[in-house]
Amino acid sequence: MQLVTSTKKMQQLSLLLRRKGKKISFVPTMGALHKGHLSLVKKAKRLGDFVVASIFVNPAQFGPKEDYKKYPRDLRKDKELLQQAGCDLIFAPRVEDIYPEGYLTYVNIDELSNKLEGASRPGHFKGVCTIVAKLFNIVQPDFAIFGQKDAQQAIIIQKMTEDLNFPVRIIVCPTVREKDGLACSSRNSYLNTEERDQAKILYQSLKLGQKMIKAGEKNPLKIIKKIRELINNQKLAKIDYIALTDTQTLEPVRKIKGELLLSLAVKFGKTRLIDNLKICV
Ligand code: PAF
């Protein structure tokens, strides 16, 4: 497995691979890898001939009060995990190569970026779209693989890819969960024992919502209320949002029908966790 840090070298390698007819599968990450990321690499291997994973903690997608500085970084461990998962190349650029002095260009999708996560994290998706667009240009992938855990991110990236005509197929893989249902996340490592224990309520509450919908409940407000009550039973939980939205527009639904996204963000202590379920009625 190769490690490339130079953007120019990465782009040259990718162009060479493409000229040889190889299909490049790409898994963008911020490192601190877990089972969820590794499932994306496995999918990438099945799709293409050459798997590139990027490791880059992107400063542009963190707010000024967010955890950019303390975001977990462990390149040595990530390398081992990626090697075992069968990754062919790690692209790990330096911040100053991605955003050199005088950098000015950003990609943004206002319409989708100001809702849900974006409402709580202004500028987050502008940072995500910008880095993913840059990575697409550098890595030149045929396939790019993302996790359903970041549902809004996947929807926005799909839209950006279509709107900007990137010749990339976006693949979204199911959320990987711990045994008790908590979605795997690099941020789970911030949780203390009590917070970690209470955080399992997130999946349980999503499942409750799903169960109500499957049982015929048509009023989104009733579902959100029940979920809110369940989460609030956990004394360390502080709800940011619970939403039932359309999967394309991310607008709240008035009536339960079609394909819906039930999503939430909840803080346990200082750690903000997100999760979601896609539900078809
Ligand atoms: O999902 C993530 O880890 C990041 O948002 C991504 C897509 C790697 C962009 O920095």
Side-chain angles (χ1 to χ4, degrees), residues 240-257:
D240 181 350
Y241 67 82
I242 302 164
L244 249 170
T245 56
D246 180 90
T247 50
Q248 295 309 307
T249 62
L250 298 176
E251 283 296 330
V253 290
R254 298 228 180 109
K255 214 167 166 220
I256 302 290
K257 92 171 185 295

Side-chain angles (χ1 to χ4, degrees), residues 88-108:
D88 297 296
L89 186 149
I90 299 177
F91 175 52
R94 294 179 315 162
V95 175
E96 51 275 38
D97 291 331
I98 293 291
Y99 301 114
E101 226 186 285
Y103 185 87
L104 287 175
T105 308
Y106 291 88
V107 181
N108 195 26

Side-chain angles (χ1 to χ4, degrees), residues 28-252:
T29 84
M30 298 204 300
L33 303 180
H34 51 67
K35 287 185 285 182
H37 295 114
L38 301 177
S39 77
L40 306 184
V41 174
K42 280 192 195 118
K43 179 72 179 178
K45 272 191 82 66
R46 288 199 293 274
L47 286 166
D49 307 305
F50 192 89
V51 177
V52 177
S54 64
I55 297 181
F56 181 69
V57 186
N58 174 33
Q61 70 188 73
F62 289 80
K65 291 195 181 128
E66 292 184 357
D67 55 343
Y68 173 65
K69 282 217 172 97
K70 77 163 193 182
Y71 196 84
R73 292 160 171 88
D74 190 345
L75 185 58
R76 199 144 54 107
K77 189 164 162 228
D78 288 345
K79 263 197 217 160
E80 265 173 44
L81 291 171
L82 287 171
Q83 174 106 49
Q84 283 161 20
C87 176
D88 297 296
L89 186 149
I90 299 177
F91 175 52
R94 294 179 315 162
V95 175
E96 51 275 38
D97 291 331
I98 293 291
Y99 301 114
E101 226 186 285
Y103 185 87
L104 287 175
T105 308
Y106 291 88
V107 181
N108 195 26
I109 309 182
D110 276 336
E111 195 62 24
L112 292 172
S113 296
N114 301 332
K115 298 164 184 164
L116 305 175
E117 278 305 280
S120 301
R121 305 183 66 191
H124 171 67
F125 288 114
K126 183 175 165 191
V128 171
C129 285
T130 301
I131 189 63
V132 173
K134 281 176 73 77
L135 289 168
F136 282 0
N137 281 330
I138 297 165
V139 177
Q140 306 267 321
D142 295 278
F143 306 99
I145 299 101
F146 296 87
Q148 172 64 23
K149 202 208 85 185
D150 294 296
Q152 187 177 7
Q153 168 171 282
I155 291 163
I156 287 176
I157 287 171
Q158 176 69 59
K159 184 76 182 123
M160 177 191 79
T161 304
E162 283 163 24
D163 285 358
L164 295 184
N165 306 91
F166 282 110
V168 182
R169 223 175 98 200
I170 305 299
I171 311 289
V172 183
C173 291
T175 303
V176 175
R177 299 181 179 279
E178 302 294 351
K179 278 204 184 90
D180 62 3
L182 180 68
C184 292
S185 162
S186 307
R187 290 190 168 99
N188 290 351
S189 66
Y190 298 152
L191 299 167
N192 66 30
T193 315
E194 209 184 343
E195 290 163 352
R196 169 65 188 82
D197 186 54
Q198 295 196 11
K200 62 178 187 270
I201 199 67
L202 300 186
Y203 186 54
Q204 289 169 5
S205 66
L206 290 171
K207 292 296 277 183
L208 169 72
Q210 185 183 47
K211 201 167 146 199
M212 287 176 77
I213 291 172
K214 298 278 176 204
E217 179 57 66
K218 293 281 176 235
N219 184 344
L221 298 178
K222 281 193 185 160
I223 296 163
I224 291 171
K225 184 166 175 270
K226 278 275 178 224
I227 294 178
R228 189 173 289 281
E229 282 166 9
L230 186 65
I231 296 177
N232 279 339
N233 284 337
Q234 302 297 323
K235 69 176 188 338
L236 300 176
K238 209 164 160 265
I239 298 170
D240 181 350
Y241 67 82
I242 302 164
L244 249 170
T245 56
D246 180 90
T247 50
Q248 295 309 307
T249 62
L250 298 176
E251 283 296 330

